[in-house]
Amino acid sequence: MAFGDLALRRFSVRKYSERPVEQGKLDQVLEAARIAPTAKNLQPWRVHVLRSPEALAAFDELTTMRFGAPVVLVFTYSEDEDWKNPLEEGIHSGQQDASIAATHAMLQATELGLGTCWCNYLPNARVAALLGLPKSEHVVLTLDVGYPAAEAHPAHLHWKRKPLEELVDYR
């Protein structure tokens, strides 16, 4: 599938079927994340796979953003491992690196016929506590993964985009 077609086909799925995600497909999604570029190739991100009934139930107690997905990928980064910009204090790559990995995973899932929903609307510290993360590891986002329900469809704002002239500036 051409990249443009893939990008257009992907939407945030907010209703999943009960069909489980095959391990082979999940492995391909995780491999796509693994090969994503990171600053200085430091690879400071991690992904925590929630798929047991117990893990999903505990996650559901923290947020309503799972939408019945059978798998939730929690992307994190370690502040001990991410790249620090030597030219400006406080600028580092962890969130960006985790987001790039999650984007690769999201697009690979779409190519495999899986749906995803990227979520930042969650209590990050409580999710970190649920996972037992060390203080140096920070939750960035979750990515629901599963087969879309038959009635799943893009949200009403999905197709609304600003014109390129409003987003790009040439100098």
Side-chain angles (χ1 to χ4, degrees):
M1 174 183 313
F3 180 77
D5 295 334
L6 178 67
L8 281 172
R9 192 171 96 186
R10 192 258 159 214
F11 66 92
S12 294
V13 174
R14 291 183 176 86
K15 186 163 188 173
Y16 293 87
S17 78
E18 293 183 11
R19 180 179 171 188
V21 175
E22 300 88 343
Q23 187 63 50
K25 286 189 176 185
L26 182 56
D27 290 344
Q28 289 180 68
V29 168
L30 296 171
E31 177 63 14
R34 187 186 73 82
I35 64 173
T38 59
K40 293 193 78 176
N41 200 29
L42 293 174
Q43 304 168 44
W45 65 270
R46 300 292 179 271
V47 63
H48 303 271
V49 181
L50 307 181
R51 65 178 180 180
S52 72
E54 300 79 18
L56 294 171
F59 183 75
D60 287 346
E61 289 182 22
L62 301 179
T63 181
T64 60
M65 301 302 289
R66 182 166 68 90
F67 306 108
V71 175
V72 175
L73 305 179
V74 181
F75 283 84
T76 66
Y77 76 93
S78 170
E79 67 184 36
D80 295 337
E81 297 178 32
D82 73 344
W83 176 78
K84 295 358 177 231
N85 183 340
L87 303 177
E88 190 164 338
E89 182 75 27
I91 304 297
H92 57 95
S93 69
Q95 287 188 340
Q96 296 164 14
D97 292 336
S99 295
I100 294 167
T103 299
H104 274 57
M106 178 180 68
L107 293 172
Q108 179 64 72
T110 302
E111 184 181 62
L112 294 170
L114 298 167
T116 60
C117 189
W118 181 298
C119 178
N120 298 87
Y121 183 68
L122 52 110
N124 294 43
R126 291 177 65 199
V127 173
L130 171 71
L131 297 173
L133 301 181
K135 276 188 165 285
S136 61
E137 189 173 347
H138 305 282
V139 173
V140 177
L141 64 105
T142 62
L143 188 69
D144 299 341
V145 180
Y147 287 95
E151 64 273 19
H153 57 83
H156 70 282
L157 293 176
H158 177 76
W159 300 109
K160 185 176 180 175
R161 296 289 188 263
K162 293 179 180 180
L164 204 53
E165 302 79 41
E166 287 184 36
L167 303 170
V168 177
D169 145 0
Y170 291 96
R171 300 185 185 225

